[in-house]
Amino acid sequence: MKLAILDDWFDTLRSLPCFRKLDGLDVTVFTDHSDDLAQLAARLRPFDAVVLIRERTQITRALLEQLPNLKLISQRSVYPHIDVEACTDHAVLLCSNMHSDTPSHAAAEHSWALIMAAMRDIPTQMQHLQSGKWQRGVGKSLFGRQLGLYGYGRIAKQVADYAAAFGVKVVWWGSEKGRARAAAEGRTVAANRHAFFAEPDIISLHVRLKPETKGIITPDDFAAMRQDALFVNTSRAGLIADGALLAALNAGRPGKAAIDVFDKEPITWREDPVACHPHVIATPHIGFVTEDEFEIQFADIFDQVVAWHKGAPLNMINPAVWHERSKR
């Protein structure tokens, strides 16, 4: 079996203990990225299976039509970047662990790091210091402030734990079911959506990107935020309505944003209007990029590859492909 691993930009996966799970397989790791359809199709045409790193590469119908040898895509978590219907039509099995019980902390830690960096204006203070100008302005303490967490999942709950350690009050919002769970567990839920955006010092977004959550953060939500408030997004850029964040920052509500995700990734051009906005602290989608998190994620992903190779696939998203193949 020939296996391709895409978009391992720093050739990190070979150094992980879990990479040994692939011993005996013919593995090729690509450390560059391509969005060009013809180039990507030519690259992947020899392979039986492909491992993806999050949403770094889009798997489209047009691409799959040019990959007659491909039988498996293995990845982890949600898959808005994959045309599942096209996978099924082309007999490509998608395996993705959606409900891992292994705890991970990288995304929550990065969210909190962005909050602290933004509240104390650390990047600008550092730039000022290194240019010989000493201090620049006055930051804000976290103790006693209010954090709004949108979404009631694992990562948001971890961020809430960090907030408690810093004496930060937390208020919640999200789907109707999420708000009901939060209230049932004794959490403070905002009186309404407008109040959730209007009152906190910080709003942090923690929602999975699915068709029903695309664009859930609207211009009206931003308009309700305070001029001195901070908006944090380490989830997905697609959760925000098109152009809404840039327009909101230009309008001054919120006053600042700290973001790790962008509409198009990777950003390889200078002066991106969001990433380089004067009121933005930005990082290049590194919320999950730690050695510890990669080991957790790719242990699952490689297990899926090995299980499929042995004829007992795990975490099938379109199992009809496997059942049909098994009949032959």
Side-chain angles (χ1 to χ4, degrees):
M1 182 186 75
K2 294 176 67 66
L3 172 67
I5 298 176
L6 295 183
D7 301 308
D8 185 10
W9 296 329
F10 301 105
D11 205 10
T12 304
L13 301 186
R14 297 180 194 274
S15 67
L16 300 178
C18 66
F19 195 80
R20 292 194 294 270
K21 293 175 181 284
L22 302 180
D23 285 352
L25 302 182
D26 184 355
V27 181
T28 301
V29 179
F30 293 95
T31 58
D32 61 339
H33 174 80
S34 176
D35 285 325
D36 181 79
L37 176 60
Q39 184 183 60
L40 193 57
R43 170 175 291 183
L44 295 181
R45 198 166 287 126
F47 293 96
D48 305 289
V50 171
V51 161
L52 300 180
I53 299 182
R54 295 291 182 103
E55 293 113 87
R56 291 179 178 178
T57 290
Q58 302 288 312
I59 304 298
T60 65
R61 182 176 292 275
L63 176 61
L64 291 168
E65 287 172 351
Q66 300 184 55
L67 304 178
N69 296 321
L70 186 63
K71 303 177 186 66
L72 172 72
I73 297 171
S74 183
Q75 63 133 55
R76 196 173 186 265
S77 192
V78 294
Y79 38 88
H81 53 301
I82 299 175
D83 187 333
V84 179
E85 183 179 357
C87 286
T88 302
D89 292 343
H90 289 83
V92 176
L93 180 65
L94 171 60
C95 293
S96 186
N97 187 347
M98 299 288 293
H99 306 288
S100 176
D101 294 328
T102 306
S104 60
H105 306 281
E109 290 176 352
H110 193 66
S111 298
W112 196 254
L114 285 176
I115 289 171
M116 295 191 69
M119 295 295 281
R120 298 301 294 268
D121 202 18
I122 289 173
T124 307
Q125 294 284 5
M126 184 182 76
Q127 292 167 6
H128 228 57
L129 172 65
Q130 292 176 341
S131 66
K133 298 177 183 177
W134 200 229
Q135 297 178 1
R136 179 193 181 279
V138 180
K140 297 178 180 179
S141 298
L142 282 168
F143 183 85
R145 296 192 182 273
Q146 186 178 69
L147 167 65
L149 291 174
Y150 194 116
Y152 194 65
R154 173 185 55 79
I155 294 174
K157 291 178 181 178
Q158 288 179 322
V159 174
D161 289 342
Y162 303 153
F166 279 78
V168 175
K169 304 169 187 175
V170 174
V171 63
W172 297 83
W173 196 255
S175 66
E176 185 175 349
K177 290 182 178 179
R179 300 196 305 271
R181 289 199 308 272
E185 293 180 13
R187 311 273 190 169
T188 301
V189 177
N192 52 60
R193 187 181 183 94
H194 183 271
F196 172 80
F197 282 96
E199 295 173 4
D201 301 277
I202 308 158
I203 299 290
S204 190
L205 182 58
H206 301 283
V207 178
R208 283 183 169 179
L209 179 60
K210 300 180 288 186
E212 57 268 30
T213 62
K214 184 173 175 59
I216 56 170
I217 306 300
T218 69
D220 287 343
D221 294 329
F222 286 129
M225 293 183 69
R226 292 163 28 188
Q227 290 180 311
D228 62 345
L230 167 68
F231 178 77
V232 182
N233 186 10
T234 58
S235 294
R236 293 293 184 275
L239 297 167
I240 301 171
D242 290 345
L245 178 58
L246 181 59
L249 290 165
N250 288 338
R253 292 180 184 270
K256 185 181 290 186
I259 56 176
D260 186 47
V261 288
F262 301 88
D263 290 326
K264 183 175 175 57
E265 298 179 4
I267 295 175
T268 55
W269 51 91
R270 292 180 181 272
E271 298 181 3
D272 179 84
V274 175
C276 299
H277 195 282
H279 298 145
V280 166
I281 292 175
T283 52
H285 204 156
I286 57 172
F288 72 104
V289 183
T290 70
E291 294 174 355
D292 315 79
E293 181 69 13
F294 268 35
E295 176 65 22
I296 291 170
Q297 294 201 13
F298 284 93
D300 284 347
I301 292 170
F302 295 158
D303 280 344
Q304 290 170 173
V305 172
V306 173
W308 174 82
H309 187 54
K310 291 181 177 179
L314 303 169
N315 307 315
M316 293 184 288
I317 302 301
N318 53 344
V321 169
W322 180 257
H323 298 325
E324 183 62 29
R325 188 181 297 273
S326 299
K327 293 177 184 178
R328 298 173 187 171

Tab-separated table of all heavy atoms in Angstrom, residues 143-192:
chain	number	residue	atom	x	y	z
A	143	PHE	N	-8.097	39.895	36.263
A	143	PHE	CA	-8.870	39.638	37.473
A	143	PHE	C	-10.106	40.533	37.523
A	143	PHE	O	-10.041	41.744	37.339
A	143	PHE	CB	-8.016	39.866	38.713
A	143	PHE	CG	-8.723	39.542	40.000
A	143	PHE	CD1	-8.745	38.249	40.484
A	143	PHE	CD2	-9.414	40.528	40.701
A	143	PHE	CE1	-9.418	37.938	41.658
A	143	PHE	CE2	-10.087	40.228	41.864
A	143	PHE	CZ	-10.094	38.930	42.351
A	144	GLY	N	-11.259	39.920	37.767
A	144	GLY	CA	-12.501	40.658	37.921
A	144	GLY	C	-13.223	40.982	36.629
A	144	GLY	O	-14.335	41.520	36.652
A	145	ARG	N	-12.596	40.663	35.492
A	145	ARG	CA	-13.253	40.945	34.224
A	145	ARG	C	-14.199	39.805	33.831
A	145	ARG	O	-14.227	38.760	34.485
A	145	ARG	CB	-12.210	41.211	33.140
A	145	ARG	CG	-11.388	42.459	33.434
A	145	ARG	CD	-10.550	42.900	32.255
A	145	ARG	NE	-9.752	44.071	32.620
A	145	ARG	CZ	-10.170	45.323	32.532
A	145	ARG	NH1	-11.385	45.593	32.065
A	145	ARG	NH2	-9.376	46.325	32.889
A	146	GLN	N	-14.940	40.022	32.754
A	146	GLN	CA	-15.934	39.029	32.327
A	146	GLN	C	-15.569	38.482	30.957
A	146	GLN	O	-15.257	39.229	30.024
A	146	GLN	CB	-17.331	39.640	32.279
A	146	GLN	CG	-18.421	38.601	31.985
A	146	GLN	CD	-19.813	39.204	31.985
A	146	GLN	OE1	-20.173	39.972	31.111
A	146	GLN	NE2	-20.604	38.853	33.001
A	147	LEU	N	-15.603	37.158	30.845
A	147	LEU	CA	-15.318	36.445	29.609
A	147	LEU	C	-16.581	35.772	29.104
A	147	LEU	O	-17.225	35.013	29.835
A	147	LEU	CB	-14.234	35.392	29.860
A	147	LEU	CG	-14.008	34.328	28.782
A	147	LEU	CD1	-13.480	34.962	27.500
A	147	LEU	CD2	-13.051	33.244	29.286
A	148	GLY	N	-16.930	36.026	27.872
A	148	GLY	CA	-18.046	35.336	27.236
A	148	GLY	C	-17.529	34.192	26.389
A	148	GLY	O	-16.700	34.398	25.500
A	149	LEU	N	-18.008	32.992	26.653
A	149	LEU	CA	-17.599	31.809	25.895
A	149	LEU	C	-18.766	31.354	25.020
A	149	LEU	O	-19.831	30.994	25.533
A	149	LEU	CB	-17.168	30.685	26.825
A	149	LEU	CG	-15.871	30.936	27.594
A	149	LEU	CD1	-15.616	29.826	28.600
A	149	LEU	CD2	-14.693	31.067	26.638
A	150	TYR	N	-18.568	31.382	23.712
A	150	TYR	CA	-19.597	30.965	22.753
A	150	TYR	C	-19.302	29.522	22.361
A	150	TYR	O	-18.317	29.240	21.695
A	150	TYR	CB	-19.561	31.877	21.535
A	150	TYR	CG	-20.779	31.763	20.641
A	150	TYR	CD1	-21.640	32.831	20.456
A	150	TYR	CD2	-21.070	30.574	19.965
A	150	TYR	CE1	-22.753	32.741	19.645
A	150	TYR	CE2	-22.181	30.460	19.157
A	150	TYR	CZ	-23.009	31.553	18.990
A	150	TYR	OH	-24.118	31.446	18.178
A	151	GLY	N	-20.179	28.627	22.786
A	151	GLY	CA	-19.971	27.199	22.568
A	151	GLY	C	-19.766	26.510	23.902
A	151	GLY	O	-19.074	27.035	24.775
A	152	TYR	N	-20.381	25.331	24.039
A	152	TYR	CA	-20.285	24.634	25.332
A	152	TYR	C	-19.683	23.242	25.138
A	152	TYR	O	-20.273	22.230	25.460
A	152	TYR	CB	-21.664	24.546	25.992
A	152	TYR	CG	-21.592	24.157	27.448
A	152	TYR	CD1	-20.988	24.999	28.369
A	152	TYR	CD2	-22.120	22.947	27.899
A	152	TYR	CE1	-20.915	24.648	29.704
A	152	TYR	CE2	-22.046	22.589	29.236
A	152	TYR	CZ	-21.446	23.438	30.129
A	152	TYR	OH	-21.365	23.097	31.468
A	153	GLY	N	-18.475	23.218	24.569
A	153	GLY	CA	-17.781	21.957	24.361
A	153	GLY	C	-16.564	21.840	25.250
A	153	GLY	O	-16.336	22.638	26.162
A	154	ARG	N	-15.746	20.823	24.952
A	154	ARG	CA	-14.586	20.510	25.779
A	154	ARG	C	-13.598	21.664	25.863
A	154	ARG	O	-13.118	22.003	26.949
A	154	ARG	CB	-13.898	19.255	25.218
A	154	ARG	CG	-12.590	18.915	25.886
A	154	ARG	CD	-11.916	17.730	25.205
A	154	ARG	NE	-11.734	17.922	23.787
A	154	ARG	CZ	-10.762	18.647	23.245
A	154	ARG	NH1	-9.880	19.260	24.028
A	154	ARG	NH2	-10.651	18.764	21.940
A	155	ILE	N	-13.282	22.261	24.728
A	155	ILE	CA	-12.274	23.318	24.728
A	155	ILE	C	-12.766	24.528	25.513
A	155	ILE	O	-12.028	25.109	26.323
A	155	ILE	CB	-11.891	23.705	23.289
A	155	ILE	CG1	-11.193	22.522	22.609
A	155	ILE	CG2	-10.993	24.937	23.274
A	155	ILE	CD1	-10.894	22.745	21.142
A	156	ALA	N	-14.015	24.918	25.289
A	156	ALA	CA	-14.559	26.066	26.021
A	156	ALA	C	-14.541	25.812	27.524
A	156	ALA	O	-14.244	26.715	28.317
A	156	ALA	CB	-15.973	26.372	25.547
A	157	LYS	N	-14.840	24.599	27.928
A	157	LYS	CA	-14.835	24.281	29.362
A	157	LYS	C	-13.420	24.371	29.941
A	157	LYS	O	-13.246	24.801	31.088
A	157	LYS	CB	-15.421	22.894	29.589
A	157	LYS	CG	-16.921	22.803	29.320
A	157	LYS	CD	-17.436	21.383	29.507
A	157	LYS	CE	-18.917	21.282	29.206
A	157	LYS	NZ	-19.421	19.889	29.339
A	158	GLN	N	-12.417	23.981	29.155
A	158	GLN	CA	-11.044	24.120	29.624
A	158	GLN	C	-10.668	25.594	29.769
A	158	GLN	O	-10.018	25.988	30.741
A	158	GLN	CB	-10.091	23.431	28.648
A	158	GLN	CG	-10.162	21.906	28.694
A	158	GLN	CD	-9.217	21.262	27.700
A	158	GLN	OE1	-9.038	21.752	26.589
A	158	GLN	NE2	-8.601	20.165	28.097
A	159	VAL	N	-11.090	26.413	28.806
A	159	VAL	CA	-10.816	27.844	28.901
A	159	VAL	C	-11.507	28.425	30.138
A	159	VAL	O	-10.945	29.280	30.837
A	159	VAL	CB	-11.274	28.575	27.626
A	159	VAL	CG1	-11.138	30.086	27.779
A	159	VAL	CG2	-10.463	28.101	26.422
A	160	ALA	N	-12.703	27.954	30.436
A	160	ALA	CA	-13.417	28.414	31.637
A	160	ALA	C	-12.648	28.066	32.904
A	160	ALA	O	-12.634	28.849	33.868
A	160	ALA	CB	-14.818	27.808	31.678
A	161	ASP	N	-11.997	26.910	32.908
A	161	ASP	CA	-11.185	26.536	34.068
A	161	ASP	C	-10.014	27.502	34.240
A	161	ASP	O	-9.676	27.904	35.363
A	161	ASP	CB	-10.653	25.106	33.911
A	161	ASP	CG	-11.741	24.048	34.044
A	161	ASP	OD1	-12.814	24.369	34.592
A	161	ASP	OD2	-11.513	22.910	33.588
A	162	TYR	N	-9.373	27.867	33.141
A	162	TYR	CA	-8.279	28.835	33.218
A	162	TYR	C	-8.799	30.180	33.728
A	162	TYR	O	-8.149	30.854	34.541
A	162	TYR	CB	-7.620	29.035	31.853
A	162	TYR	CG	-7.091	27.776	31.205
A	162	TYR	CD1	-6.982	27.675	29.816
A	162	TYR	CD2	-6.684	26.679	31.960
A	162	TYR	CE1	-6.496	26.527	29.214
A	162	TYR	CE2	-6.197	25.531	31.366
A	162	TYR	CZ	-6.110	25.451	29.989
A	162	TYR	OH	-5.630	24.315	29.386
A	163	ALA	N	-9.969	30.567	33.232
A	163	ALA	CA	-10.559	31.837	33.656
A	163	ALA	C	-10.784	31.852	35.165
A	163	ALA	O	-10.516	32.851	35.844
A	163	ALA	CB	-11.875	32.079	32.914
A	164	ALA	N	-11.280	30.744	35.692
A	164	ALA	CA	-11.534	30.670	37.139
A	164	ALA	C	-10.247	30.854	37.926
A	164	ALA	O	-10.223	31.535	38.967
A	164	ALA	CB	-12.185	29.330	37.482
A	165	ALA	N	-9.154	30.281	37.424
A	165	ALA	CA	-7.871	30.414	38.121
A	165	ALA	C	-7.379	31.859	38.139
A	165	ALA	O	-6.643	32.247	39.048
A	165	ALA	CB	-6.830	29.511	37.450
A	166	PHE	N	-7.806	32.652	37.155
A	166	PHE	CA	-7.380	34.047	37.070
A	166	PHE	C	-8.414	35.024	37.642
A	166	PHE	O	-8.248	36.232	37.530
A	166	PHE	CB	-7.086	34.417	35.610
A	166	PHE	CG	-5.739	33.969	35.137
A	166	PHE	CD1	-5.512	32.647	34.781
A	166	PHE	CD2	-4.679	34.859	35.052
A	166	PHE	CE1	-4.274	32.219	34.346
A	166	PHE	CE2	-3.430	34.445	34.620
A	166	PHE	CZ	-3.223	33.116	34.271
A	167	GLY	N	-9.472	34.488	38.249
A	167	GLY	CA	-10.482	35.349	38.826
A	167	GLY	C	-11.342	36.050	37.796
A	167	GLY	O	-11.854	37.156	38.038
A	168	VAL	N	-11.530	35.417	36.637
A	168	VAL	CA	-12.346	35.976	35.560
A	168	VAL	C	-13.739	35.343	35.599
A	168	VAL	O	-13.869	34.123	35.662
A	168	VAL	CB	-11.684	35.725	34.183
A	168	VAL	CG1	-12.581	36.206	33.052
A	168	VAL	CG2	-10.326	36.404	34.119
A	169	LYS	N	-14.763	36.163	35.541
A	169	LYS	CA	-16.139	35.679	35.525
A	169	LYS	C	-16.489	35.203	34.118
A	169	LYS	O	-16.098	35.821	33.130
A	169	LYS	CB	-17.096	36.786	35.943
A	169	LYS	CG	-16.776	37.407	37.300
A	169	LYS	CD	-17.593	38.668	37.531
A	169	LYS	CE	-17.146	39.373	38.798
A	169	LYS	NZ	-17.847	40.677	38.991
A	170	VAL	N	-17.258	34.121	34.029
A	170	VAL	CA	-17.584	33.539	32.731
A	170	VAL	C	-19.092	33.544	32.514
A	170	VAL	O	-19.863	33.192	33.416
A	170	VAL	CB	-17.055	32.092	32.611
A	170	VAL	CG1	-17.519	31.451	31.304
A	170	VAL	CG2	-15.533	32.078	32.690
A	171	VAL	N	-19.497	33.943	31.311
A	171	VAL	CA	-20.892	33.854	30.888
A	171	VAL	C	-20.909	33.084	29.575
A	171	VAL	O	-19.973	33.174	28.777
A	171	VAL	CB	-21.519	35.260	30.734
A	171	VAL	CG1	-20.813	36.063	29.651
A	171	VAL	CG2	-23.020	35.154	30.457
A	172	TRP	N	-21.981	32.325	29.348
A	172	TRP	CA	-22.011	31.381	28.227
A	172	TRP	C	-23.090	31.729	27.213
A	172	TRP	O	-24.123	32.303	27.550
A	172	TRP	CB	-22.268	29.963	28.739
A	172	TRP	CG	-21.199	29.438	29.633
A	172	TRP	CD1	-21.064	29.673	30.969
A	172	TRP	CD2	-20.099	28.609	29.272
A	172	TRP	NE1	-19.961	29.037	31.457
A	172	TRP	CE2	-19.346	28.366	30.438
A	172	TRP	CE3	-19.684	28.027	28.072
A	172	TRP	CZ2	-18.199	27.577	30.436
A	172	TRP	CZ3	-18.545	27.237	28.065
A	172	TRP	CH2	-17.816	27.024	29.239
A	173	TRP	N	-22.841	31.308	25.962
A	173	TRP	CA	-23.856	31.330	24.918
A	173	TRP	C	-23.515	30.234	23.918
A	173	TRP	O	-22.435	29.653	23.953
A	173	TRP	CB	-23.924	32.687	24.221
A	173	TRP	CG	-25.186	32.863	23.414
A	173	TRP	CD1	-25.335	32.819	22.057
A	173	TRP	CD2	-26.489	33.076	23.950
A	173	TRP	NE1	-26.649	33.000	21.720
A	173	TRP	CE2	-27.388	33.164	22.860
A	173	TRP	CE3	-26.990	33.215	25.249
A	173	TRP	CZ2	-28.758	33.373	23.021
A	173	TRP	CZ3	-28.348	33.431	25.416
A	173	TRP	CH2	-29.215	33.506	24.311
A	174	GLY	N	-24.462	29.917	23.044
A	174	GLY	CA	-24.253	28.882	22.043
A	174	GLY	C	-25.579	28.406	21.517
A	174	GLY	O	-26.579	29.135	21.544
A	175	SER	N	-25.610	27.169	21.061
A	175	SER	CA	-26.852	26.589	20.565
A	175	SER	C	-27.849	26.431	21.716
A	175	SER	O	-27.488	26.495	22.898
A	175	SER	CB	-26.586	25.218	19.945
A	175	SER	OG	-26.167	24.299	20.950
A	176	GLU	N	-29.096	26.216	21.361
A	176	GLU	CA	-30.119	26.037	22.400
A	176	GLU	C	-29.779	24.848	23.294
A	176	GLU	O	-29.910	24.924	24.526
A	176	GLU	CB	-31.484	25.835	21.741
A	176	GLU	CG	-32.645	25.762	22.718
A	176	GLU	CD	-33.996	25.686	22.043
A	176	GLU	OE1	-34.056	25.903	20.822
A	176	GLU	OE2	-34.998	25.403	22.741
A	177	LYS	N	-29.319	23.764	22.687
A	177	LYS	CA	-28.953	22.594	23.476
A	177	LYS	C	-27.736	22.882	24.346
A	177	LYS	O	-27.676	22.457	25.506
A	177	LYS	CB	-28.664	21.401	22.553
A	177	LYS	CG	-29.906	20.834	21.868
A	177	LYS	CD	-29.541	19.628	21.017
A	177	LYS	CE	-30.778	19.030	20.361
A	177	LYS	NZ	-30.439	17.867	19.493
A	178	GLY	N	-26.766	23.592	23.791
A	178	GLY	CA	-25.581	23.929	24.567
A	178	GLY	C	-25.913	24.811	25.752
A	178	GLY	O	-25.392	24.607	26.864
A	179	ARG	N	-26.792	25.794	25.541
A	179	ARG	CA	-27.187	26.678	26.645
A	179	ARG	C	-27.935	25.894	27.713
A	179	ARG	O	-27.748	26.119	28.916
A	179	ARG	CB	-28.058	27.827	26.124
A	179	ARG	CG	-27.352	28.695	25.099
A	179	ARG	CD	-28.049	30.020	24.889
A	179	ARG	NE	-29.444	29.932	24.541
A	179	ARG	CZ	-29.917	29.836	23.306
A	179	ARG	NH1	-29.080	29.774	22.277
A	179	ARG	NH2	-31.216	29.803	23.074
A	180	ALA	N	-28.763	24.945	27.285
A	180	ALA	CA	-29.509	24.127	28.247
A	180	ALA	C	-28.555	23.281	29.085
A	180	ALA	O	-28.733	23.156	30.312
A	180	ALA	CB	-30.511	23.237	27.512
A	181	ARG	N	-27.519	22.705	28.444
A	181	ARG	CA	-26.549	21.911	29.187
A	181	ARG	C	-25.775	22.786	30.162
A	181	ARG	O	-25.522	22.387	31.307
A	181	ARG	CB	-25.579	21.214	28.231
A	181	ARG	CG	-26.185	20.092	27.419
A	181	ARG	CD	-25.119	19.171	26.856
A	181	ARG	NE	-24.085	19.895	26.128
A	181	ARG	CZ	-24.148	20.199	24.827
A	181	ARG	NH1	-25.214	19.839	24.133
A	181	ARG	NH2	-23.163	20.842	24.244
A	182	ALA	N	-25.390	23.965	29.716
A	182	ALA	CA	-24.651	24.875	30.586
A	182	ALA	C	-25.471	25.257	31.808
A	182	ALA	O	-24.980	25.235	32.947
A	182	ALA	CB	-24.248	26.128	29.805
A	183	ALA	N	-26.740	25.593	31.597
A	183	ALA	CA	-27.611	25.970	32.711
A	183	ALA	C	-27.817	24.799	33.660
A	183	ALA	O	-27.811	24.963	34.889
A	183	ALA	CB	-28.945	26.471	32.173
A	184	ALA	N	-27.993	23.599	33.096
A	184	ALA	CA	-28.215	22.413	33.929
A	184	ALA	C	-27.003	22.096	34.784
A	184	ALA	O	-27.133	21.514	35.875
A	184	ALA	CB	-28.558	21.215	33.043
A	185	GLU	N	-25.814	22.499	34.329
A	185	GLU	CA	-24.587	22.241	35.084
A	185	GLU	C	-24.186	23.431	35.949
A	185	GLU	O	-23.060	23.484	36.468
A	185	GLU	CB	-23.465	21.877	34.113
A	185	GLU	CG	-23.724	20.536	33.413
A	185	GLU	CD	-22.627	20.154	32.440
A	185	GLU	OE1	-21.546	20.792	32.475
A	185	GLU	OE2	-22.833	19.217	31.647
A	186	GLY	N	-25.111	24.372	36.111
A	186	GLY	CA	-24.888	25.472	37.040
A	186	GLY	C	-24.067	26.623	36.497
A	186	GLY	O	-23.608	27.473	37.265
A	187	ARG	N	-23.894	26.677	35.188
A	187	ARG	CA	-23.133	27.776	34.579
A	187	ARG	C	-24.031	29.002	34.403
A	187	ARG	O	-25.252	28.898	34.340
A	187	ARG	CB	-22.587	27.357	33.220
A	187	ARG	CG	-21.870	26.007	33.217
A	187	ARG	CD	-20.425	26.120	33.569
A	187	ARG	NE	-19.713	24.854	33.322
A	187	ARG	CZ	-18.414	24.721	33.337
A	187	ARG	NH1	-17.643	25.763	33.588
A	187	ARG	NH2	-17.835	23.546	33.107
A	188	THR	N	-23.397	30.155	34.246
A	188	THR	CA	-24.139	31.386	34.014
A	188	THR	C	-24.335	31.582	32.517
A	188	THR	O	-23.364	31.717	31.758
A	188	THR	CB	-23.388	32.602	34.587
A	188	THR	OG1	-23.203	32.410	35.990
A	188	THR	CG2	-24.156	33.884	34.336
A	189	VAL	N	-25.589	31.574	32.082
A	189	VAL	CA	-25.931	31.767	30.678
A	189	VAL	C	-26.464	33.186	30.511
A	189	VAL	O	-27.238	33.671	31.339
A	189	VAL	CB	-26.985	30.738	30.213
A	189	VAL	CG1	-27.389	30.978	28.767
A	189	VAL	CG2	-26.436	29.314	30.393
A	190	ALA	N	-26.049	33.863	29.444
A	190	ALA	CA	-26.497	35.233	29.201
A	190	ALA	C	-28.014	35.287	29.046
A	190	ALA	O	-28.644	34.318	28.598
A	190	ALA	CB	-25.825	35.783	27.954
A	191	ALA	N	-28.585	36.419	29.393
A	191	ALA	CA	-30.047	36.583	29.312
A	191	ALA	C	-30.529	36.457	27.873
A	191	ALA	O	-31.629	35.933	27.620
A	191	ALA	CB	-30.443	37.938	29.887
A	192	ASN	N	-29.733	36.916	26.929
A	192	ASN	CA	-30.083	36.819	25.518
A	192	ASN	C	-28.813	37.017	24.691
A	192	ASN	O	-27.746	37.331	25.233
A	192	ASN	CB	-31.153	37.845	25.128
A	192	ASN	CG	-30.779	39.253	25.548
A	192	ASN	OD1	-29.765	39.782	25.118
A	192	ASN	ND2	-31.601	39.860	26.414
